[in-house]
């Protein structure tokens, strides 16, 4: 089975479209949360995700904030402005879809899906070997796929030495996943690793391989829509440089 793994779309519809086109035919799609926030097209993004066949989608922290399950105060002022704007434009149907999302899921009998971390699904960031180390005790499956940091990354636990190492994922390269691995496909709509291209991954559940991928999209179009919507200009500027 070929699985599209994506996360942190953040209301960036052109980036989502580019990823879906670039990924080609897949058997399932696993979306790791943060459909909304920052960007100008929350309704189009949710409607597109809802329509995907065989979709499993997790609730992110920005999605949870829209549902008032998380305080706006937990976000910086620009993110808050975007949340307030999103809350006002989101349709009742799309709000209901966000409300239906779980904070974690077990898929394919071997993968745990969360937004942030298995220990704290909606909020904690797994950014380094220490936070990864602490989180291996919090899921029982061979693999855990997560988003939230907006950085394509992978952490593996070697059971013989009990050590966790960070593995580099090279774009376009297919990597076999060691038996216990935490993997992050990066962010579709707001990459933060200095590569502005939309990030995602392809998981092959028979070979147990992971391919980190990037695809270009029309950043200028999204920047213009951010300006037209009156959203914070920072959210437009950062897209061009991927931070
Ligand atoms: Zn995010």
């Amino acid at each position: 089975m070929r699985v599209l793994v994506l996360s942190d779309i953040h209301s960036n519809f052109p980036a989502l479209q580019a990823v879906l086109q670039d990924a080609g035919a897949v058997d399932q799609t696993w979306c790791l949360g943060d459909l909304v926030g920052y960007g100008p097209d929350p309704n189009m993004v949710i409607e597109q995700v809802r329509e995907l066949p065989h979709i499993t989608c997790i609730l992110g922290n920005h999605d949870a904030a829209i549902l008032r399950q998380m305080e706006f105060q937990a976000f910086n002022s620009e993110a808050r402005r975007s949340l307030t704007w999103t809350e006002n434009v989101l349709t009742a149907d799309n709000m209901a879809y966000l409300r239906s999302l779980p904070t974690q899921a077990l898929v394919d009998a071997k993968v745990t899906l969360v937004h942030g971390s298995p220990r704290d699904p909606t909020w904690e960031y797994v950014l380094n070997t220490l936070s990864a180390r602490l989180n291996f005790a919090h899921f029982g499956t061979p693999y855990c796929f997560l988003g939230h940091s907006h950085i394509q990354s992978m952490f593996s636990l070697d059971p013989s030495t009990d050590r966790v190492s960070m593995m580099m994922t090279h774009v376009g390269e297919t990597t076999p996943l060691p038996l216990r691995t935490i993997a992050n496909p990066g962010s579709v709509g707001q990459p933060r690793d200095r590569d502005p291209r939309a990030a995602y991954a392809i998981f092959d559940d028979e070979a147990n391989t992971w391919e980190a991928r990037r695809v270009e999209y029309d950043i200028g179009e999204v920047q213009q829509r951010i300006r037209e919507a009156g959203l914070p200009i920072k959210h437009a500027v950062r897209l061009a440089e991927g931070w």
Side-chain angles (χ1 to χ4, degrees):
M1 183 169 79
R2 190 169 188 269
V3 183
L4 166 59
V5 187
L6 75 175
S7 192
D8 296 277
I9 304 165
H10 284 297
S11 302
N12 186 335
F13 187 68
L16 175 60
Q17 288 298 100
V19 163
L20 295 175
Q21 197 162 54
D22 190 62
V26 294
D27 300 295
Q28 291 197 13
T29 301
W30 300 341
C31 175
L32 308 176
D34 276 2
L35 300 179
V36 302
Y38 300 125
D41 292 311
N43 285 308
M44 282 160 79
V45 163
I46 294 175
E47 278 148 25
Q48 173 68 82
V49 168
R50 288 170 65 176
E51 279 172 17
L52 294 174
H54 310 292
I55 171 82
T56 302
C57 188
I58 300 297
L59 186 80
N61 56 310
H62 286 253
D63 311 319
I66 290 295
L67 299 174
R68 296 291 178 167
Q69 294 173 5
M70 189 172 276
E71 296 278 340
F72 278 21
Q73 291 304 324
F75 296 80
N76 68 45
S77 64
E78 281 131 337
R80 272 205 308 271
R81 265 176 66 197
S82 175
L83 287 169
T84 304
W85 179 89
T86 303
E87 194 177 38
N88 288 327
V89 302
L90 215 55
T91 66
D93 257 16
N94 289 336
M95 192 76 90
Y97 180 73
L98 292 184
R99 200 167 290 118
S100 76
L101 299 177
T103 55
Q104 53 188 308
L106 170 64
V107 285
D108 209 20
K110 62 178 164 191
V111 186
T112 300
L113 305 180
V114 292
H115 178 64
S117 80
R119 183 168 70 163
D120 184 356
T122 317
W123 194 249
E124 184 185 26
Y125 290 90
V126 177
L127 283 165
N128 50 40
T129 52
L130 175 62
S131 50
R133 181 78 191 84
L134 294 168
N135 270 288
F136 273 104
H138 291 265
F139 66 99
T141 49
Y143 307 123
C144 175
F145 298 164
L146 47 74
H148 195 37
S149 71
H150 297 207
I151 292 170
Q152 280 187 330
S153 49
M154 192 185 281
F155 301 91
S156 291
L157 174 70
D158 180 344
S160 63
T161 59
D162 203 35
R163 287 182 76 101
V164 172
S165 52
M166 186 171 181
M167 296 159 65
M168 300 305 292
T169 54
H170 299 288
V171 174
E173 213 171 82
T174 302
T175 314
L177 290 183
L179 191 54
R180 294 214 79 205
T181 298
I182 293 173
N184 187 327
S187 168
V188 171
Q190 195 196 82
R192 292 182 191 159
D193 50 9
R194 297 280 168 188
D195 180 343
R197 296 176 298 171
Y200 70 101
I202 297 289
F203 172 60
D204 180 325
D205 86 324
E206 281 137 38
N208 291 324
T209 55
W210 179 268
E211 185 193 350
R213 297 178 67 152
R214 302 303 278 245
V215 60
E216 284 182 16
Y217 69 96
D218 190 344
I219 291 171
E221 183 192 338
V222 182
Q223 289 177 315
Q224 191 178 334
R225 290 183 52 68
I226 286 173
R227 282 192 290 269
E228 284 167 2
L231 289 162
I233 202 71
K234 177 183 166 188
H235 298 161
V237 173
R238 67 192 304 175
L239 291 180
E241 287 165 35
W243 54 272

